[in-house]
Amino acid sequence: MLETVKYLIGSRGAGGFGSKSTAEEVTETCPNLRSTTAIITGATSGIGAETARVLAKRGARLVIPARNLKAAAEAKARIVSEFPNSEIVIMALDLSSLSSVRKFVLDFESLDLPLNLLINNAGRFTHHHAISEDGIEMTFATNYLGHFLLTKLLLNKMMETAKQSGVQGRIVNVSSSINGWFSGDMIRYLGQISRSKSQYDATRAYALSKLANVLHTKELARRLKEMGANVTVNCVHPGIVRTRLTREREGFITDLVFFLASKLLKTIPQAASTTCYVATHPRLENVSGKYFADCNETWTSKLGSDSIEASKLWIASETMVSEIKKGLETYTNRPTERK
């Protein structure tokens, strides 16, 4: 009850900000970002668009990957109309396609740009069951596996940039508190919903993908520390906000739920604040592997804190992105345990 009251009144935590803080507010004291290059997925609308707008205001060069290049051009135009000196590069990327991720990375590397920030923000919630071209359930493929491969392929560039510039690189994974709604065997459930829609539940599939974002953060932070890389990774819960994420669930029920929950909803500038805070604030130098909400470090779910689960997911993910068919056979066709 106390935490709910703090949330409703926007009480500021140890980080100096709270649920009512905006992205512009939390970046007011950040260093000038004119020497910073940031890749932001899902930056054509909603929280990602506001994140891009605010980082552009602070001087960052933006790379906006998008499946819909027209929407990306419109997002760029909006930012440039407000900040004419903005430098924004639009590139094609479909996160549900591993071949598209690989092509994006090759195209980005050909630009010979540095990379200081990687914000894995894109997400989808789909009511209808679908399978990616790589044979993976679409929500998991888009929200997690595409970002896993993207991060893996860009990591050397980030480490190289950090070494040359002396400025610590940062990776931000945008998750959701819904990650705590998932329980059970992650890989087995992924296998079930990747083979058949009979076991598919849209909310559980979304929770699985968001839990995977949290565990990815935990394991990647451990590996970065082990490598001695001057790059950090943290995970954020942006808060509850009505964005285009719910576009496939429009209707009376959705409208009613959001109306009744309106006092708990954040505005988009408020929802983008934690991402921008974790991406830019000097206070978070050398902070890695943590989970943030309302611009303050907080606890994730029990499963999201499990280092063994994080390691298992990493191993499975490495297999899935390298040999997708073999990976599915190896990790999702395990026999069900007898009770």
Side-chain angles (χ1 to χ4, degrees):
M1 175 63 76
L2 179 59
E3 291 303 313
T4 301
V5 172
K6 286 181 178 179
Y7 174 85
L8 289 172
I9 65 175
S11 178
R12 294 171 184 262
F17 303 106
S19 63
K20 303 300 183 185
S21 300
T22 66
E24 287 199 22
E25 180 185 353
V26 304
T27 57
E28 281 178 354
T29 59
C30 76
N32 187 291
L33 301 181
R34 293 196 182 281
S35 60
T36 297
T37 299
I39 293 177
I40 309 171
T41 68
T44 60
S45 64
I47 296 168
E50 177 66 4
T51 299
R53 187 190 74 83
V54 171
L55 293 187
K57 180 176 182 177
R58 304 304 177 204
R61 175 197 290 121
L62 305 181
V63 176
I64 298 180
R67 184 175 54 179
N68 185 335
L69 295 180
K70 180 181 177 182
E74 291 170 352
K76 175 180 177 178
R78 288 193 296 271
I79 294 173
V80 172
S81 68
E82 189 174 358
F83 311 112
N85 294 325
S86 300
E87 185 178 348
I88 302 174
V89 179
I90 293 173
M91 302 180 69
L93 172 63
D94 179 355
L95 281 163
S96 73
S97 164
L98 299 179
S99 63
S100 178
V101 173
R102 292 189 177 93
K103 184 177 187 306
F104 167 80
V105 172
L106 289 174
D107 290 344
F108 174 75
E109 289 177 340
S110 72
L111 300 177
D112 199 26
L113 293 173
L115 181 58
N116 309 88
L117 295 177
L118 172 60
I119 300 178
N120 292 320
N121 166 82
R124 66 180 292 164
F125 181 104
T126 176
H127 180 62
H128 303 289
H129 180 259
I131 302 296
S132 76
E133 64 182 42
D134 301 296
I136 301 293
E137 187 279 318
M138 190 64 80
T139 304
F140 190 87
T142 304
N143 295 0
Y144 167 69
L145 197 62
H147 282 128
F148 174 86
L149 180 60
L150 180 68
T151 304
K152 171 185 170 69
L153 297 179
L154 290 172
L155 204 52
N156 283 338
K157 171 62 74 173
M158 293 198 73
M159 292 190 292
E160 176 187 303
T161 300
K163 186 175 182 179
Q164 292 177 351
S165 67
V167 178
Q168 194 167 70
R170 296 188 185 186
I171 301 167
V172 182
N173 288 331
V174 179
S175 180
S176 167
S177 61
I178 289 175
N179 80 83
W181 293 15
F182 185 87
S183 61
D185 188 317
M186 297 177 66
I187 305 304
R188 179 172 291 128
Y189 181 63
L190 174 62
Q192 290 172 344
I193 61 177
S194 292
R195 291 192 300 270
S196 168
K197 66 179 181 180
S198 63
Q199 299 290 324
Y200 182 73
D201 176 270
T203 301
R204 193 175 187 214
Y206 183 71
L208 170 66
S209 72
K210 296 289 100 178
L211 175 60
N213 294 147
V214 176
L215 293 174
H216 176 218
T217 302
K218 186 174 185 66
E219 179 65 11
L220 178 56
R222 184 189 71 77
R223 289 169 179 259
L224 288 170
K225 182 178 180 180
E226 202 172 70
M227 290 188 292
N230 190 23
V231 177
T232 64
V233 57
N234 289 291
C235 196
V236 305
H237 164 56
I240 306 170
V241 58
R242 187 170 190 178
T243 69
R244 292 185 65 200
L245 187 66
T246 60
R247 59 187 174 272
E248 296 187 38
R249 299 300 296 265
E250 297 294 333
F252 175 75
I253 298 299
T254 302
D255 291 340
L256 179 61
V257 168
F258 273 92
F259 173 76
L260 295 175
S262 61
K263 296 301 181 183
L264 297 175
L265 294 182
K266 287 186 174 186
T267 65
I268 287 178
Q270 290 169 347
S273 65
T274 305
T275 300
C276 289
Y277 172 75
V278 173
T280 67
H281 205 284
R283 186 181 288 116
L284 268 66
E285 186 169 358
N286 297 321
V287 174
S288 193
K290 306 299 183 182
Y291 181 79
F292 290 82
D294 301 329
C295 302
N296 287 276
E297 184 182 338
T298 188
W299 296 101
T300 184
S301 64
K302 182 179 179 181
L303 195 54
S305 303
D306 192 324
S307 58
I308 295 176
E309 286 296 322
S311 178
K312 285 167 56 180
L313 177 64
W314 185 284
I315 293 169
S317 301
E318 286 276 19
T319 303
M320 285 188 278
V321 300
S322 60
E323 298 177 80
I324 192 71
K325 292 180 180 178
K326 178 181 177 182
L328 285 175
E329 290 171 0
T330 302
Y331 286 98
T332 65
N333 287 337
R334 294 177 298 170
T336 303
E337 295 177 2
R338 295 183 181 271
K339 297 294 185 182

